[in-house]
Amino acid sequence: MPEYIYPTYAHTASDQDGTWQGHKDRTPPSVNPGMDYACAYGSVVVAAKAGVIRVADSTMGGSGGRLVYITHPDGDETQYLHLSRIDVTAGQTVTQGQQIALSGASGFGSDRYYGPHCHVSLYLHGVNVDFQKYVNITDSHGGGGSNKEDELSAAEVAEIKAHVTAETNRLAEYVRRESRMRLYKNSATGQFMAASILSGRYEILSGQSEVDSLVKNGYLEIANGDAATPQIVDDLRWRNIIAKCPVNIKAIAG
Ligand SMILES: [Zn+2]
């Protein structure tokens, strides 16, 4: 088992920064550099390594939104930000791979301040480092144990890695496109709705100002490609969109 595993199914950073270094070099500089893994809202988030929950904070007021910090036995720490739900409490012991939360987009008091992603920070003895360089490494201490890659030829390893990279990029692109909410307008009532069929999330929006702020933050994709006029749907189509969303969410719309 690697020392650190990926906390989400997504293994590539979102396109905003692409790398830990890019995250660190933001203007102004990021106070907590990490990897931003784009993943559908509500995706399972697991502990990258066994440890004890040091912080489980649902107050969501700061830039990190809902967050969980795990202290590991060697004193290192992983941090998971912008969560939509937290499944652990401070002081709780967790195993590697144990579900700790659901991913989200929370920050600054809003449940969707950002586009949906999971931010992961790694601190080695208090120093913030590039998590991507440590995740899924089976022999990070240079110690014994066989590495399965040794049994394959270099060409075979390269072919497998290229395949995995291509598949990962394809999935990441799909998630980036489909987890973003689309904007609809009901021609009968004038109501706006943001809906993501992939994540099963949708909401009736309060009005034009909420639409504008979601578009500005890159959270909303205008379905017909025109930012000024959202896709207008009639009553029947509107109901069909709602009908595709999960039953538990459907109740909110009434
Ligand atoms: Zn981040």
Side-chain angles (χ1 to χ4, degrees):
M1 199 63 167
E3 185 174 0
Y4 295 94
I5 62 172
Y6 285 102
T8 68
Y9 69 87
H11 294 179
T12 52
S14 60
D15 51 1
Q16 187 183 358
D17 298 300
T19 63
W20 171 83
Q21 191 67 47
H23 197 299
K24 190 178 178 184
D25 294 342
R26 281 178 185 171
T27 309
S30 171
V31 294
N32 187 357
M35 290 300 291
D36 289 328
Y37 296 111
C39 54
Y41 197 102
S43 301
V44 168
V45 177
V46 304
K49 182 177 174 177
V52 175
I53 305 298
R54 184 168 75 80
V55 175
D57 184 354
S58 274
T59 55
M60 183 165 87
S63 61
R66 289 196 185 81
L67 45 86
V68 170
Y69 296 173
I70 304 177
T71 301
H72 307 295
D74 51 13
D76 296 338
E77 181 161 292
T78 47
Q79 302 182 350
Y80 312 76
L81 311 183
H82 316 307
L83 306 166
S84 61
R85 191 185 83 190
I86 293 176
D87 296 327
V88 291
T89 54
Q92 183 180 340
T93 299
V94 293
T95 56
Q96 185 179 49
Q98 181 176 334
Q99 180 173 335
I100 57 170
L102 295 181
S103 70
S106 61
F108 296 112
S110 166
D111 248 317
R112 38 172 202 210
Y113 186 83
Y114 308 95
H117 74 286
C118 181
H119 169 115
V120 183
S121 297
L122 171 61
Y123 287 84
L124 300 185
H125 303 288
V127 178
N128 183 297
V129 298
D130 185 353
F131 179 74
Q132 190 74 4
K133 287 187 176 157
Y134 292 84
V135 66
N136 264 14
I137 304 292
T138 49
D139 56 351
S140 60
H141 293 301
S146 72
N147 186 338
K148 275 205 158 43
E149 288 182 6
D150 294 343
E151 298 162 17
L152 300 171
S153 71
E156 286 170 321
V157 170
E159 188 186 342
I160 291 168
K161 284 183 174 170
H163 179 71
V164 169
T165 301
E167 283 298 296
T168 305
N169 289 343
R170 193 181 59 77
L171 180 62
E173 176 55 32
Y174 174 76
V175 168
R176 265 198 294 277
R177 205 171 54 234
E178 295 301 325
S179 65
R180 190 173 284 181
M181 311 270 274
R182 296 203 176 163
L183 180 64
Y184 298 91
K185 189 173 186 183
N186 186 323
S187 56
T189 66
Q191 278 183 310
F192 291 107
M193 180 175 76
S196 166
I197 302 304
L198 179 75
S199 69
R201 180 176 170 78
Y202 83 101
E203 284 184 24
I204 307 294
L205 305 177
S206 61
Q208 188 67 52
S209 64
E210 187 173 13
V211 171
D212 291 343
S213 106
L214 291 170
V215 170
K216 184 163 150 264
N217 287 325
Y219 196 81
L220 263 183
E221 182 177 1
I222 309 302
N224 65 358
D226 177 356
T229 49
Q231 181 163 332
I232 294 187
V233 295
D234 59 26
D235 247 356
L236 179 62
R237 174 102 191 281
W238 180 264
R239 280 201 297 273
N240 284 341
I241 292 167
I242 289 178
K244 282 183 188 167
C245 294
V247 174
N248 60 335
I249 294 178
K250 194 158 54 169
I252 298 172

